[in-house]
Amino acid sequence: MKIQDLSARLGGLAVFRGLLEDPVIAAYAHFIQALADGAGRGAVCQAAGQFEALLFGADTDDFSEYLTAAVLECENICARRAARGALSPALEKALDSELHFLEELSGLGLDQLLLAAGLTPAQREKLAFLPRWTAHPTGLASSYEARLSEMGRLGYGMFARHHVFTLNEEGRLTPVRHPDPQRLADLPGYEREREKILANTKALLAGLPANNVLLYGDAGTGKSSAVKAIVNEYAPEGLRLVEVKKNQLYLLPDLMDQLAANPLKFILFIDDLSFASNDDNFAALKAILEGSAGGRAANIAVYATSNRRHLVKETMTDRTGDDIHEADTRQEMMSLSARFGLVVTFQRPDKALYSQILLELARQYQLTIPEQQLVTMGEAFAIRAGGRSPRAAKQFIEQCRAGVV
């Protein structure tokens, strides 16, 4: 295929138009365009250098693999339609045409592109100093066909590359590139409590009715760690987490509408949740959990952690104030926690559970301190730290591992 045809086909992508927003592929398209336009040696070298610098900056010299990964993860109409059902004949034809073009393109190295541009041997010799990227056959078309059948589990776009997200100030999802790597095997103790959350999460993944979950209990008992570890464990099965701050609750209705059509399953995670009695966010969350006209999508569940059983800070003044219908007001304040279908309590560990956690963490960190000595020292550390908790146990073990204690 001539370089002008390659440039035209690349610029005319429709299904995979989003690829041109990738900085590496956009620079590649600019380089192809420079060759197709017969640009001078300087302009061609500058375009080639810009493309290769971005490719190498992505920690690879293999453009074939880079383009293949970008195609497999590209969010487009065919990926969305395939996740919900079959494609129309027109879309199937467009998809097939573009996939075979991109497969051909992915296998072209610099020398092949220079030949396609019609450069003479002398002209190619003058460009011999340019670095060569790796290019090879990929089987991209067949790989994408196989990927389409797994979109519901693997996702597309940024949801294929990441499994933890936050909301920015504009309400847009932002991937967390280095999420907490906590795994269930790293969390000793509280297995019975986590089993309830696991069962609910598995129901969500299976498309069965799943509850919103409130993890309530003492500080440092592993509530947040449990949610993050469960998401890390089941991310390969299509589970994603979106962490939402309390002051962002008003953004949730739009976010839920956006995620409802996605084939993946989402946990909207609100950490350390509590409200003042006059907090506007209180009513917003109530409507989101239950009672809004829009309902809740079957692929979304809200998981929240709190140190307060009823989530609302209440003072003695609230109970002795001048509210005529005080009982109604108190019932309103208590109704929010009742809208979580599953409430799991994480209580401060007793001595036996705390010792079990200490010993299991010591095994994970490969400490050789005698058990009785470890438990005695761990108890003393917990007293200084304000009480027993998995957090205190981990802090103590980490200090032992570092030689601080």
Side-chain angles (χ1 to χ4, degrees), residues 338-395:
R339 297 190 180 220
F340 287 92
L342 176 62
V343 178
V344 182
T345 304
F346 285 70
Q347 296 180 331
R348 191 179 294 274
D350 57 19
K351 183 175 181 179
L353 179 56
Y354 182 70
S355 299
Q356 173 193 334
I357 294 170
L358 281 172
L359 295 175
E360 175 58 26
L361 288 174
R363 184 193 65 77
Q364 292 178 15
Y365 282 75
Q366 300 180 339
L367 296 181
T368 57
I369 303 173
E371 289 188 5
Q372 189 55 51
Q373 180 183 351
L374 184 77
V375 171
T376 301
M377 294 169 61
E379 282 285 345
F381 182 90
I383 292 172
R384 297 194 299 272
R388 301 186 190 103
S389 72
R391 180 185 296 161
K394 186 172 183 179
Q395 290 171 345

Side-chain angles (χ1 to χ4, degrees), residues 90-159:
L91 281 178
E92 281 189 350
K93 183 177 180 180
L95 177 64
D96 184 67
S97 174
E98 292 191 8
L99 281 174
H100 283 89
F101 163 68
L102 290 168
E103 181 172 348
E104 178 181 352
L105 193 68
S106 69
L108 299 178
L110 177 60
D111 293 315
Q112 291 160 301
L113 291 176
L114 297 180
L115 280 172
L119 270 62
T120 66
Q123 290 173 318
R124 297 200 301 273
E125 181 63 29
K126 291 181 179 180
L127 299 175
F129 66 89
L130 289 173
R132 266 57 179 167
W133 62 85
T134 301
H136 51 82
T138 59
L140 188 154
S142 59
S143 297
Y144 193 82
E145 292 294 339
R147 181 63 178 267
L148 278 180
S149 64
E150 296 184 303
M151 284 294 177
R153 184 173 62 85
L154 300 178
Y156 46 73
M158 63 180 176
F159 299 110

Side-chain angles (χ1 to χ4, degrees), residues 188-381:
Y190 297 91
E191 287 82 4
R192 184 173 58 182
E193 288 81 359
R194 285 197 299 273
E195 191 57 43
K196 298 176 183 178
I197 308 167
L198 273 168
N200 191 73
T201 305
K202 290 176 182 177
L204 177 67
L205 285 169
L208 301 173
N211 287 300
N212 296 313
V213 182
L214 174 63
L215 292 76
Y216 151 76
D218 297 301
T221 49
K223 302 181 294 295
S224 301
S225 295
V227 175
K228 294 173 183 177
I230 288 172
V231 172
N232 289 337
E233 204 77 26
Y234 289 95
E237 303 302 319
L239 184 63
R240 302 292 182 265
L241 181 141
V242 179
E243 187 163 4
V244 182
K245 297 181 177 64
K246 191 187 75 170
N247 62 0
Q248 296 177 315
L249 292 178
Y250 72 96
L251 298 170
L252 284 186
D254 288 340
L255 175 64
M256 295 171 84
D257 286 344
Q258 174 187 339
L259 298 178
N262 197 298
L264 299 174
K265 313 300 181 185
F266 293 88
I267 289 175
L268 306 185
F269 179 51
I270 311 168
D271 198 18
D272 198 19
L273 182 63
S274 66
F275 296 97
S277 57
N278 60 347
D279 196 328
D280 291 338
N281 290 305
F282 178 85
L285 184 57
K286 278 184 66 176
I288 291 164
L289 292 175
E290 183 184 344
S292 64
R296 178 167 67 90
N299 66 329
I300 300 173
V302 177
Y303 285 23
T305 70
S306 181
N307 298 336
R308 296 176 178 272
R309 175 63 179 84
H310 296 298
L311 303 177
V312 181
K313 299 176 183 177
E314 187 180 12
T315 66
M316 290 303 297
T317 304
D318 294 327
R319 297 208 170 218
T320 59
D322 57 0
D323 191 340
I324 297 176
H325 302 289
E326 182 213 350
D328 291 346
T329 301
R330 189 175 302 120
Q331 184 65 28
E332 169 73 12
M333 294 170 67
M334 294 172 63
S335 66
L336 179 59
S337 59
R339 297 190 180 220
F340 287 92
L342 176 62
V343 178
V344 182
T345 304
F346 285 70
Q347 296 180 331
R348 191 179 294 274
D350 57 19
K351 183 175 181 179
L353 179 56
Y354 182 70
S355 299
Q356 173 193 334
I357 294 170
L358 281 172
L359 295 175
E360 175 58 26
L361 288 174
R363 184 193 65 77
Q364 292 178 15
Y365 282 75
Q366 300 180 339
L367 296 181
T368 57
I369 303 173
E371 289 188 5
Q372 189 55 51
Q373 180 183 351
L374 184 77
V375 171
T376 301
M377 294 169 61
E379 282 285 345
F381 182 90

